[in-house]
Amino acid sequence: MPVLEQERLDIDKYVEVLREFLRQPSISAQDRGVKECAQMLGEIMNRFGISSKLVPVKDGQPVVFGELRSRRADRTLLIYDHYDVQPPEPLDEWRHHPFSADLEGERIWSRGASDSKGNILAYLAAADIILRRDNELPINLKFIFEGEEEIGSPHLPEFVEMNKHLLKADAVVCCDGGLDPSGSPVISLGLKGILYVEMRCSAAKTDLHSSRAPLVANPAWRLVWALNTLKDRNDRIIVTGWFDDVKVPTTSDLEIAGRIPFDEKQLKEEYGVKEFLGGKIGTDALKSLLFDPTCTICGLLTGYTGPKSKTVLPRTAFAKIDFRLVYDQDPDDLLRKLRKHLDAQGFTDIELEIIGRLEPSRTPSTASIATAAAKAARIVYGVEPIIYPNSPGSGPDYLFTKKLKIDSIWTGCAPAFSNAHGPNEFITRSSLVSGIKYAIETIESFADLEL
């Protein structure tokens, strides 16, 4: 059905609901406001006519589950997203308070605006609009919103395993995505996995005077030497067996990737770099982004880091590292290989702690939900969507594709370069409006398809 004029008149209502949602902090890494945000989200869903409940998670944050039953359809679409957000630090780089949800012209400034509360609101508003317009849904809708995605979804696997019947569906839309810099919606047919670890080394029982360096091992050096064994100067991971299970890119992957517009000049300007790593350009840069496993030092801390000098031999040193994984690498297998590698290199003193793990995922390009979303994108945005064989980012998509055996896509309405995970995150009114329409058309297009 065409999008009604009345829907445009209600945008102020949905903007204000989003701003209310954004003002509630939900920082999972700091356990700040997450449960309160879950409660608020459930209340918003109830306000929109969506039956919801908060499902407690032992030692974790609650899952918000919602459902709308159709009287005329058996088909079910499951909507996944997360209501938790990244920490807002560094605070001094924000032009607006990160939880003020200030509305300035077209932009709503807030942590979580684009990642991913705006996307959640788009699908809730879509359901609200269809219900008010038709007093009925063309399909059944289920909603699962978690509060731990930003820390690796540690409790979601158990939740999914224990609630397979509750989550039974014909397809999944993970609405934690956004738009390409060209303005076209992106539809990802899978995600990279992730293995996030902390490497820690300790020596003396306390920091020592640096003059004791000839006698006592320096954990900082031990850690640096250990890190240096993980990659070569060409940025390739050199842990034995790391690439054994890599199954991408396939011929189909390369065909799909060949249709992706890749404006490297724009990206370099946005990132503030003169060239990409290793001098990659064009297709090679895009293929590396999509299909290469990665090893990234996300944080490194040891010794004295304050002003001027302090001659100290540090007691401890640690690094946080994420490994992005491609299909079909197994994070648990790779963790064992990493431990074996460090031991073989003489670093048995380096402790390994797993912080997060997610498997990579895949959905075929012929999946009905991909067809429905592509049709919806053409209707709303008037352009062809950009199909990614997989996203360079990570998320718990494998729980749907591997554990529940359901086709799943990742898409959304967040503007490109909207500073997700960084200071001054935002979403625009116009992207929210388009996102609501996109959600409506995706639901209705999926309902109309012959499966």
Side-chain angles (χ1 to χ4, degrees):
M1 295 183 182
V3 179
L4 301 180
E5 283 292 328
Q6 179 62 33
E7 294 163 15
R8 298 192 185 97
L9 300 179
D10 288 340
I11 185 58
D12 287 344
K13 177 183 81 170
Y14 297 121
V15 166
E16 288 310 307
V17 173
L18 176 58
R19 294 178 71 198
E20 172 191 357
F21 190 23
L22 291 169
R23 290 189 189 105
Q24 172 58 55
S26 51
I27 309 169
S28 51
Q30 301 170 354
D31 192 16
R32 178 183 167 197
V34 187
K35 292 178 176 61
E36 293 84 352
C37 190
Q39 185 69 41
M40 174 183 284
L41 177 55
E43 292 169 357
I44 292 172
M45 293 167 72
N46 292 336
R47 202 184 310 170
F48 286 176
I50 302 169
S51 175
S52 72
K53 62 179 180 179
L54 268 64
V55 183
V57 173
K58 183 181 179 181
D59 300 324
Q61 306 296 350
V63 170
V64 184
F65 179 80
E67 189 169 15
L68 282 169
R69 303 292 298 178
S70 171
R71 294 188 296 269
R72 67 174 194 252
D74 294 326
R75 192 174 301 174
T76 299
L77 183 62
L78 176 63
I79 311 300
Y80 162 85
D81 209 337
H82 64 94
Y83 64 88
D84 65 319
V85 302
Q86 285 279 335
E89 287 82 0
L91 298 177
D92 59 353
E93 293 187 18
W94 285 78
R95 294 192 292 271
H96 302 259
H97 188 280
F99 295 105
S100 64
D102 286 346
L103 176 61
E104 185 180 71
E106 262 280 285
R107 294 186 175 189
I108 304 169
W109 300 91
S110 179
R111 170 57 83 232
S114 64
D115 186 16
S116 189
K117 292 180 178 180
N119 281 316
I120 289 178
L121 200 281
Y123 266 87
L124 298 183
D128 179 51
I129 288 168
I130 295 173
L131 279 175
R132 288 190 297 107
R133 184 187 64 192
D134 301 338
N135 198 34
E136 178 62 289
L137 285 169
I139 55 174
N140 303 310
L141 291 179
K142 293 180 179 179
F143 301 87
I144 173 175
F145 300 132
E146 68 156 321
E148 298 182 319
E149 193 273 345
E150 297 292 12
I151 55 172
S153 304
H155 296 97
L156 193 62
E158 181 179 1
F159 175 85
V160 169
E161 183 64 31
M162 295 177 62
N163 293 278
K164 287 183 177 180
H165 180 73
L166 185 70
L167 302 176
K168 187 177 180 180
D170 297 287
V172 181
V173 172
C174 299
C175 55
D176 186 17
L179 307 179
D180 181 77
S182 67
S184 298
V186 172
I187 300 172
S188 294
L189 301 173
L191 282 80
K192 285 186 177 181
I194 193 170
L195 171 64
Y196 200 120
V197 301
E198 184 172 293
M199 292 173 56
R200 183 178 293 271
C201 184
S202 301
K205 65 180 181 180
T206 186
D207 287 355
L208 299 175
H209 193 292
S210 64
S211 66
R212 300 305 185 256
L215 301 179
V216 179
N218 186 329
W221 276 115
R222 294 291 298 165
L223 183 60
V224 169
W225 292 331
L227 291 171
N228 200 42
T229 71
L230 302 183
K231 293 169 69 174
D232 62 21
R233 296 297 179 93
N234 295 317
D235 206 53
R236 182 176 174 83
I237 299 169
I238 52 176
V239 176
T240 301
W242 201 262
F243 294 83
D244 286 355
D245 297 319
V246 172
K247 296 178 181 177
V248 293
T250 65
T251 301
S252 175
D253 291 333
L254 294 175
E255 289 176 355
I256 296 171
R259 296 190 288 270
I260 297 174
F262 187 68
D263 189 338
E264 61 183 83
K265 180 180 179 182
Q266 183 182 22
L267 290 177
K268 289 173 183 176
E269 289 176 354
E270 182 67 26
Y271 301 154
V273 298
K274 293 182 179 179
E275 64 176 22
F276 292 139
L277 190 64
K280 301 185 194 78
I281 60 174
T283 302
D284 287 340
L286 177 60
K287 286 169 59 179
S288 181
L289 177 67
L290 296 179
F291 304 123
D292 284 356
T294 68
C295 170
T296 302
I297 299 174
C298 301
L300 186 62
L301 185 63
T302 186
Y304 177 71
T305 59
K308 298 189 177 178
S309 66
K310 179 182 181 182
T311 50
V312 61
L313 193 161
R315 177 185 68 86
T316 188
F318 71 89
K320 293 181 181 292
I321 305 167
D322 81 46
F323 299 89
R324 300 282 171 167
L325 317 180
V326 299
Y327 208 80
D328 195 19
Q329 292 181 300
D330 180 343
D332 296 328
D333 175 62
L334 295 181
L335 180 65
R336 290 189 290 270
K337 288 176 177 175
L338 178 60
R339 177 72 271 169
K340 184 177 180 180
H341 167 85
L342 290 172
D343 292 349
Q345 295 290 323
F347 295 105
T348 56
D349 55 327
I350 300 288
E351 299 175 17
L352 270 182
E353 178 184 356
I354 185 167
I355 305 297
R357 48 93 65 209
L358 294 167
E359 297 176 33
S361 65
R362 304 283 278 174
T363 285
S365 59
T366 55
S368 57
I369 186 58
T371 301
K375 178 182 177 183
R378 295 183 197 103
I379 292 171
V380 174
Y381 295 94
V383 296
E384 285 293 322
I386 297 173
I387 310 297
Y388 274 64
N390 65 270
S391 166
S394 304
D397 191 45
Y398 77 98
L399 294 173
F400 307 121
T401 61
K402 290 185 177 180
K403 306 303 182 184
L404 299 181
K405 308 297 183 183
I406 309 174
D407 289 335
S408 172
I409 60 167
W410 283 65
T411 191
C413 63
F417 307 130
S418 53
N419 300 327
H421 291 212
N424 304 306
E425 184 177 352
F426 70 90
I427 194 170
T428 65
R429 282 173 56 97
S430 60
S431 64
L432 179 62
V433 172
S434 296
I436 294 170
K437 295 176 182 178
Y438 181 35
I440 291 171
E441 294 292 348
T442 299
I443 293 168
E444 296 186 337
S445 294
F446 186 66
D448 291 340
L449 280 177
E450 292 186 10
L451 299 184

